[in-house]
Amino acid sequence: MTDTLPGIDPADPPDPAQLPPPVGMLLLVTAKWISQAVHVAAELGIADLVSDGPQTVDDLAAKAGCRTQPLHRVLRAIASYGVFAELPDGRIVNTPMSDYLRTDVPGSVRHMARMEGADFTWRPYGKLLHTVRTGEPAFDHVFGQRIFDHLAEHPREEEIFNRAMTSFTEQSADAIVADHDFSRHPVITDLGGGQGHLLAAILRANPEVRGVLLDRAPVVESAQRAPVGPEVRARMSYVAGDFFGPIPPEAHADAYVLRTCLHDWSDDECVAILRNVRTAMGDRTDARLLIMESVVQPGNAFDVGKLIDLEMLTLTTGLERTEAQWAHVLERAGFAVAAITETEPPLSVIEARPASAHTPTAVPTAVQTPTDGGTS
């Protein structure tokens, strides 16, 4: 990782809060300039190319398969925000910011940058006004189908999406494991758990716990090849399934994990998922549901969840929920909130227990099957 850059004046990007209001507003209005430039650098793998030392822009362009002058202009722009730096001789080096565009760095956001600038997520934002006027997700309006159906038909975009979701899981897994006592749950099932990174982290930290990963058959097949180590592998089993259907008996557990899955779905769709979990719990009052999602803060406080909510609004039928909204959805499905623990932003662990009594609520049955572990 890059700590210091000898001989280089550090970038001093403007702080919108300290600027005159019209200038600060202009930076917000033109944020796409930086967002797309960072996406280009991530897509070309520039941070990986300079990870071993400074490179000329000519060399970078040749290795990345692009033109020298346009690449230089892109890198010069984002260097003014601290993403890469240009040496006095014109060579490009990494900075503490651009290090997180490297593929091999823990906490890397490279694949998230690739996804957020890709056509399938970028184009819908041009139709956000349509969503605000009609309530229809902009993605559906632009592409004529829902996002998970689209991804299933476009393997390259699905791969970008899945890599971004996996990196997001890896980034927060250690904090989640540290902030919740998973040793209380002898068997844990991760529903829609993707490649199993969170479940593996839980098992590594809790050697007496066994885990079950439940996801679609192709995802489970891929997850079984993930390098989790023999000791963890011995305590992890894999079940093909769909959390919109009944949870198979072999996936029944003491605790059920849903990490950044529910925010993709409307309240009715969430209730459909959660009622399947409630049914699997049966009469066990000690069973627990563990939801890792944003809990949107009230008022004007900055909250990353409020920004992620725009992604949900634009791409899906889902939303980021307040504490009251979570309590309402859970109550409809037969749960009560037992505790909420803040973990690495923007996530909290919402622990829910079976309600002592509940009246089943009718929910729709025509719902779509997700891909690998949620959106964002």
Side-chain angles (χ1 to χ4, degrees):
M1 296 287 287
T2 303
D3 296 317
T4 59
L5 298 169
I8 301 176
D9 292 330
D12 186 23
D15 178 359
Q18 304 301 319
L19 294 172
V23 180
M25 178 56 69
L26 181 64
L27 288 181
L28 293 177
V29 169
T30 59
K32 67 179 181 182
W33 298 348
I34 298 301
S35 177
Q36 273 293 336
V38 172
H39 163 73
V40 167
E43 189 67 35
L44 295 175
I46 300 300
D48 289 337
L49 293 175
V50 297
S51 61
D52 291 332
Q55 298 276 320
T56 68
V57 181
D58 281 333
D59 286 343
L60 288 174
K63 293 174 182 178
C66 60
R67 301 293 293 273
T68 297
Q69 189 203 51
L71 178 62
H72 178 253
R73 292 164 68 180
V74 165
L75 296 179
R76 179 179 63 183
I78 58 179
S80 69
Y81 276 77
V83 184
F84 302 105
E86 187 173 2
L87 296 171
D89 63 7
R91 292 180 299 162
I92 302 298
V93 294
N94 271 327
T95 63
M97 287 277 283
S98 65
D99 268 330
Y100 285 95
L101 291 180
R102 289 169 51 185
T103 307
D104 61 347
V105 168
S108 171
V109 296
R110 182 194 173 198
H111 294 301
M112 189 67 74
R114 294 179 66 212
M115 185 187 82
E116 290 300 332
D119 187 69
F120 73 96
T121 60
W122 184 260
R123 282 177 57 195
Y125 272 88
K127 296 298 181 181
L128 179 57
L129 181 59
H130 171 84
T131 296
V132 174
R133 283 177 168 161
T134 68
E136 179 190 17
F139 188 97
D140 299 21
H141 177 66
V142 171
F143 291 101
Q145 60 184 159
R146 298 179 76 176
I147 183 169
F148 293 121
D149 294 328
H150 175 90
L151 292 174
E153 296 174 6
H154 297 80
R156 183 179 182 278
E157 293 179 350
E158 184 175 40
E159 180 188 9
I160 292 173
F161 174 87
N162 288 341
R163 284 177 178 268
M165 295 304 100
T166 296
S167 67
F168 185 42
T169 299
E170 291 174 331
Q171 188 174 17
S172 60
D174 289 343
I176 290 172
V177 169
D179 292 333
H180 180 82
D181 181 11
F182 289 95
S183 67
R184 295 190 287 123
H185 318 296
V187 180
I188 297 172
T189 291
D190 190 351
L191 301 168
Q195 297 300 302
H197 293 287
L198 175 59
L199 186 58
I202 292 170
L203 298 186
R204 277 193 292 270
N206 298 276
E208 303 304 316
V209 173
R210 293 188 297 109
V212 181
L213 179 72
L214 183 144
D215 213 313
R216 297 179 306 117
V219 178
V220 167
E221 182 180 351
S222 174
Q224 288 177 303
R225 298 191 296 269
V228 297
E231 194 276 331
V232 168
R233 179 79 68 198
R235 292 183 285 123
M236 186 184 293
S237 58
Y238 302 84
V239 176
D242 173 3
F243 53 42
F244 279 117
I247 296 175
E250 59 269 33
H252 287 191
D254 302 289
Y256 298 85
V257 168
L258 281 163
R259 185 199 177 282
T260 58
C261 292
L262 297 177
H263 71 168
D264 291 330
W265 309 100
S266 68
D267 283 0
D268 284 346
E269 290 166 321
C270 284
V271 172
I273 296 168
L274 294 174
R275 283 192 61 201
N276 288 326
V277 180
R278 182 65 186 87
T279 298
M281 289 180 174
D283 296 330
R284 291 193 53 183
T285 59
D286 61 336
R288 290 294 181 264
L289 169 65
L290 305 173
I291 298 170
M292 289 81 173
E293 295 274 6
S294 295
V295 178
V296 176
Q297 299 303 302
N300 298 317
F302 176 80
D303 183 348
V304 176
K306 294 176 181 179
L307 304 181
I308 298 175
D309 188 50
L310 296 180
E311 187 95 328
M312 301 302 104
L313 178 67
T314 305
L315 303 182
T316 75
T317 59
L319 69 156
E320 302 299 328
R321 295 174 171 87
T322 64
E323 184 173 344
Q325 288 171 319
W326 279 119
H328 176 67
V329 167
L330 287 163
E331 181 181 9
R332 286 183 59 194
F335 290 95
V337 175
I340 297 178
T341 304
E342 291 186 9
T343 184
E344 184 161 309
L347 299 181
S348 294
V349 179
I350 305 166
E351 180 178 345
R353 58 174 176 78
S356 55
H358 69 282
T359 302
T361 305
V363 294
T365 57
V367 290
Q368 70 177 149
T369 301
T371 57
D372 187 1
T375 304
S376 295

